[in-house]
């Protein structure tokens, strides 16, 4: 049974607009949440994280929002750029190693 | 320049053969991990190690083996018992393996069966 779900396998956004990627988790014991970006045939690159004591963390164009009551987190990218086209994985952590979602493929169209 | 290196980038395995994937890090991290990625799937944990000479099975350890003789190195052997080894293999490391840690990944090795 999946502990971390990214329900949208793909997303297309026009350049300059906002990209919103979503992630749901099942276990309320998870307390640290991360987003990774991955290009084909490369390793994932860490983007941004948030701990359960916060509901928002911002780093440049990237903002992660955490809704603990809904067990939901989202990554906002604004403005979206063609170089943001990649697969985005959310990952969660509690007392176990990271658990990853299946990823969402973002395509930013010029 | 600190980082994680994996070799080779591509690896071919014949039926019944064991192959070993290399992972080295110079980040002075205690914890190291091996993941497998299949098309349309997330990253699934194979093995992890939080300290030299100790390691734990992940979610899909069957058909794989590891060793951790040095802090910098965490090789993964794909044995002949692994019936579906074709995948993209990723090595990662983190400071201590505790919770609330970011893992940093190497560039990956693609394993193909001949």
């Amino acid at each position: 049974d999946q502990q971390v779900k990214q329900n949208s396998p793909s997303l297309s956004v026009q350049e300059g607009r906002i990209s919103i990627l979503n992630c749901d988790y099942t276990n309320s014991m998870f307390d640290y949440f991360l987003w990774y970006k991955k290009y084909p045939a490369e390793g994932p690159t860490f983007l941004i994280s948030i701990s359960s004591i916060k509901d928002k963390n911002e780093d440049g164009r990237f903002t992660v929002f955490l809704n603990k009551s809904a067990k939901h987190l989202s990554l906002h990218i604004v403005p979206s750029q063609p170089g943001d086209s990649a697969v985005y994985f959310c990952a969660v952590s509690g007392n176990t190693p990271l658990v990853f979602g299946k990823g969402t493929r973002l395509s930013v169209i010029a | 320049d600190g980082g994680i290196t994996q070799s080779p980038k591509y690896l071919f395995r014949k039926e019944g053969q064991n192959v070993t994937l290399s992972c080295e890090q110079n980040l002075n991290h205690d914890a190291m991990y091996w993941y497998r990625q299949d098309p349309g799937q997330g990253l699934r944990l194979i093995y992890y190690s939080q300290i030299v000479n100790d390691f734990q099975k992940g979610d899909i350890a069957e058909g794989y083996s590891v060793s951790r003789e040095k802090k910098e190195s965490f090789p993964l052997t794909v044995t002949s018992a692994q019936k579906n080894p074709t995948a993209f293999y990723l090595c990662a490391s983190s400071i201590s393996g505790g919770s609330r840690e970011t893992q940093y990944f190497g560039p990956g090795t693609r394993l193909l069966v001949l």
Side-chain angles (χ1 to χ4, degrees), chain B residues 50-69:
Chain B
Q50 293 174 293
I51 195 168
V52 172
N53 292 324
D54 189 42
F55 46 82
Q56 287 79 40
K57 292 182 179 179
D59 300 320
I60 55 165
E62 186 173 351
Y64 300 97
S65 66
V66 293
S67 62
R68 187 85 187 278
E69 297 176 2

Side-chain angles (χ1 to χ4, degrees), chain B residues 32-34 45-48 55-58 61 64-66 74:
Chain B
M32 298 185 74
Y33 310 81
W34 275 105
L45 183 64
I46 305 173
Y47 269 99
Y48 65 101
F55 46 82
Q56 287 79 40
K57 292 182 179 179
Y64 300 97
S65 66
V66 293
F74 191 38

Side-chain angles (χ1 to χ4, degrees), chain A residues 1 9-10 23 25 27 29 36-38 41 45 49 52 56 58 60 62 69 88 90 93 97 105 109:
Chain A
D1 195 23
S10 63
C23 179
Y25 60 96
N27 191 336
M29 296 301 289
Y36 286 85
K37 174 181 179 179
K38 186 181 181 301
T45 303
S49 63
S52 59
K56 176 182 173 181
E58 195 171 348
F62 302 93
S69 61
Y88 290 78
C90 70
S93 172
R105 181 177 302 278
I109 305 162

Side-chain angles (χ1 to χ4, degrees), chain A residues 31-32 34 36 38 41-46 49 51-53 89 93-98 100-103, chain B residues 9-10 33 35 37 40-45 48 88 90 98-108 110:
Chain A
D31 61 2
Y32 188 60
L34 308 90
Y36 286 85
K38 186 181 181 301
E42 294 185 9
T45 303
F46 169 71
S49 63
S51 71
S52 59
I53 61 172
F89 291 98
S93 172
N95 290 325
T96 59
L98 292 181
F100 287 83
K102 292 188 176 182
Chain B
K9 190 170 180 65
Y10 296 95
Y33 310 81
Y35 292 90
Q37 187 192 14
Q41 299 291 320
L43 280 63
R44 293 184 291 167
L45 183 64
Y48 65 101
F88 190 53
L90 288 157
S99 61
R100 299 191 175 194
E101 277 194 358
T102 299
Q103 292 181 18
Y104 298 91
F105 285 82
R110 183 163 299 281

Side-chain angles (χ1 to χ4, degrees), chain A residues 11-20 61 76-82 84 106-109:
Chain A
L11 175 68
S12 290
V13 173
Q14 278 200 312
E15 181 180 4
R17 305 294 290 267
I18 185 170
S19 296
I20 300 176
R61 296 186 298 114
H76 293 209
I77 306 173
V78 57
S80 301
Q81 299 173 353
D84 296 330
L106 173 66
S107 299
V108 179
I109 305 162

